[in-house]
Amino acid sequence: MTKRIVAYSRLKPTHLDQLRQRFHVDYFEALKNTDDPGFREALGRAHGIVGSSLAITPELLDQAPHLEAIASISVGYDNYPVEALTQRGILLCNTPDVLTETTADTGFLLIMTTARRAVELAEFVKRGEWRESIGEAQFGSDVHGKTLGMIGFGRIGAAVARRGALGFGMQVLYSNASPKPDLERELGATRCEMDDLLARADFVCVTVPLSAETTHLIGAREFGLMKPSAIFVNIARGKVVDETALIAALETGGIRAAGLDVFEREPLSPESPLPHMSNVVALPHIGSATHETRDAMAQRAVDNILLALEGKRPISLVNEAAWRERS
Ligand code: NAP
């Protein structure tokens, strides 16, 4: 029997062809939400899912009695009910590693553009306001030699810190669930309590995954601990930060600036004050969005689903317990 899969993110013909050689594929290009009747019907027959950016709920799983595996085209898996999947024996696969460096580049891009006010000043030139040598009103702050505080010190956190420590001579502080002695040796990084990090860092960069534990991890209290000169960068997930508290901290001078790739609600509403603030660089969730990396992520998802539906261990598996149960 040819297995069936549902694919719902934009995939290149080369990736779709690989899937179609092995499976019957119901392809929903740029599906907006999971209420789509055609999607629901296809889900009822599907053995696998390939996609990203849509929340898969336990209620949806109830409508997918044949589902064996999901290959998300993302490293973050906050859109999936991991426990419910594991209970049902459904494998959840993600795409770590292949996007680490690109997402770290985005983090450093935000550190640089906020510190040197690059977007704000490029707009100043574009508006024709550069009529004489710039003065203090346009000065930014240095990045090199400053203290970088990483909240989350996994793959992406370490890659951002590596850029800071080795490229810009920054002192690295980190707060993370577990200690990282190898990275401490490699980068001269120091583990500390989050409150201590917040009080000492010139740049605070968040790279923890979104979970019940990390929802609103950074709120009014945490912004209150930061230096008024601190720059805050979020490349993790919007809900890790209490956005109302962030806006207040930016408006009242509690912190100097913010570089944001992710928001509590995406796409960000044009009504949000954030993109209109001169001390904010707001990007449309471009962390991994390069041609090379998005291709590599799609390929990893294709490889994962091919292996999973053949009964082999996928390359990147989130719920090991479901695999152990199966084998
Ligand atoms: P990772 O390697 O799993 O790193 C996450 C780190 O966070 C781990 O070191 C983990 O500690 C730590 N951590 C988890 N929960 C924590 C908590 N409650 N308190 C303190 N530390 C905690 O993941 P990654 O590949 O670096 O990706 C991180 C996240 O970045 C993803 O989950 C995703 O949401 C986000 N992301 C965003 C974009 C974007 O487009 N902006 C792109 C890719 C990823 P342990 O090491 O002890 O487990």
Side-chain angles (χ1 to χ4, degrees), residues 170-315:
M170 297 177 92
Q171 183 198 349
V172 176
L173 306 176
Y174 75 96
S175 117
N176 190 70
S178 61
K180 303 285 175 182
D182 290 352
L183 288 170
E184 288 179 20
R185 273 190 295 278
E186 180 193 346
L187 305 176
T190 306
R191 186 176 186 216
C192 55
E193 293 299 325
M194 190 171 80
D195 283 5
D196 189 25
L197 177 152
L198 293 171
R200 290 166 62 192
D202 298 303
F203 296 87
V204 174
C205 181
V206 180
T207 61
V208 282
L210 177 64
S211 65
E213 218 180 309
T214 61
T215 300
H216 283 194
L217 181 70
I218 309 294
R221 194 189 77 82
E222 288 69 29
F223 286 117
L225 292 171
M226 293 184 206
K227 301 181 195 178
S229 58
I231 292 181
F232 178 74
V233 170
N234 186 5
I235 52 169
R237 286 288 183 264
K239 291 192 177 85
V240 173
V241 177
D242 176 347
E243 216 161 86
T244 308
L246 168 63
I247 292 166
L250 287 162
E251 279 174 347
T252 59
I255 60 171
R256 176 175 293 163
L260 309 168
D261 187 43
V262 288
F263 302 87
E264 284 202 69
R265 274 169 189 255
E266 295 177 10
L268 182 63
S269 160
E271 253 113 78
S272 165
L274 287 170
H276 307 292
M277 292 177 166
S278 58
N279 55 346
V280 170
V281 175
L283 298 176
H285 201 147
I286 64 161
S288 63
T290 64
H291 292 290
E292 300 88 336
T293 293
R294 285 291 168 86
D295 265 6
M297 290 164 69
Q299 187 59 54
R300 173 64 64 86
V302 167
D303 292 341
N304 278 335
I305 203 77
L306 288 170
L307 289 165
L309 294 188
E310 273 178 6
K312 298 180 185 149
R313 196 187 185 290
I315 303 164

Side-chain angles (χ1 to χ4, degrees), residues 51-233:
S52 67
S53 305
L54 289 181
I56 301 294
T57 60
E59 180 263 324
L60 266 182
L61 297 180
D62 290 340
Q63 299 187 25
H66 309 293
L67 199 59
E68 296 172 31
I70 299 178
S72 184
I73 313 174
S74 66
V75 65
Y77 46 86
D78 44 283
N79 268 330
Y80 304 92
V82 180
E83 219 176 290
L85 287 166
T86 306
Q87 275 164 8
R88 289 165 166 83
I90 300 169
L91 303 180
L92 176 60
C93 317
N94 65 346
T95 63
D97 306 317
V98 294
L99 48 54
T100 297
E101 298 301 327
T102 298
T103 309
D105 285 349
T106 305
F108 226 83
L109 168 79
L110 286 169
I111 289 172
M112 292 297 290
T113 48
T114 46
R116 299 302 303 270
R117 301 169 57 186
V119 175
E120 179 193 350
L121 294 176
E123 290 297 322
F124 166 84
V125 175
K126 211 180 269 181
R127 286 195 304 271
E129 290 177 18
W130 184 27
R131 297 192 196 97
E132 55 188 49
S133 296
I134 58 117
E136 274 195 33
Q138 285 83 31
F139 289 179
S141 41
D142 279 340
V143 173
H144 66 269
K146 294 288 183 70
T147 299
L148 173 62
M150 297 303 309
I151 299 185
F153 212 40
R155 291 171 290 250
I156 295 169
V160 172
R162 204 166 276 122
R163 283 156 178 71
L166 307 181
F168 288 77
M170 297 177 92
Q171 183 198 349
V172 176
L173 306 176
Y174 75 96
S175 117
N176 190 70
S178 61
K180 303 285 175 182
D182 290 352
L183 288 170
E184 288 179 20
R185 273 190 295 278
E186 180 193 346
L187 305 176
T190 306
R191 186 176 186 216
C192 55
E193 293 299 325
M194 190 171 80
D195 283 5
D196 189 25
L197 177 152
L198 293 171
R200 290 166 62 192
D202 298 303
F203 296 87
V204 174
C205 181
V206 180
T207 61
V208 282
L210 177 64
S211 65
E213 218 180 309
T214 61
T215 300
H216 283 194
L217 181 70
I218 309 294
R221 194 189 77 82
E222 288 69 29
F223 286 117
L225 292 171
M226 293 184 206
K227 301 181 195 178
S229 58
I231 292 181
F232 178 74
V233 170

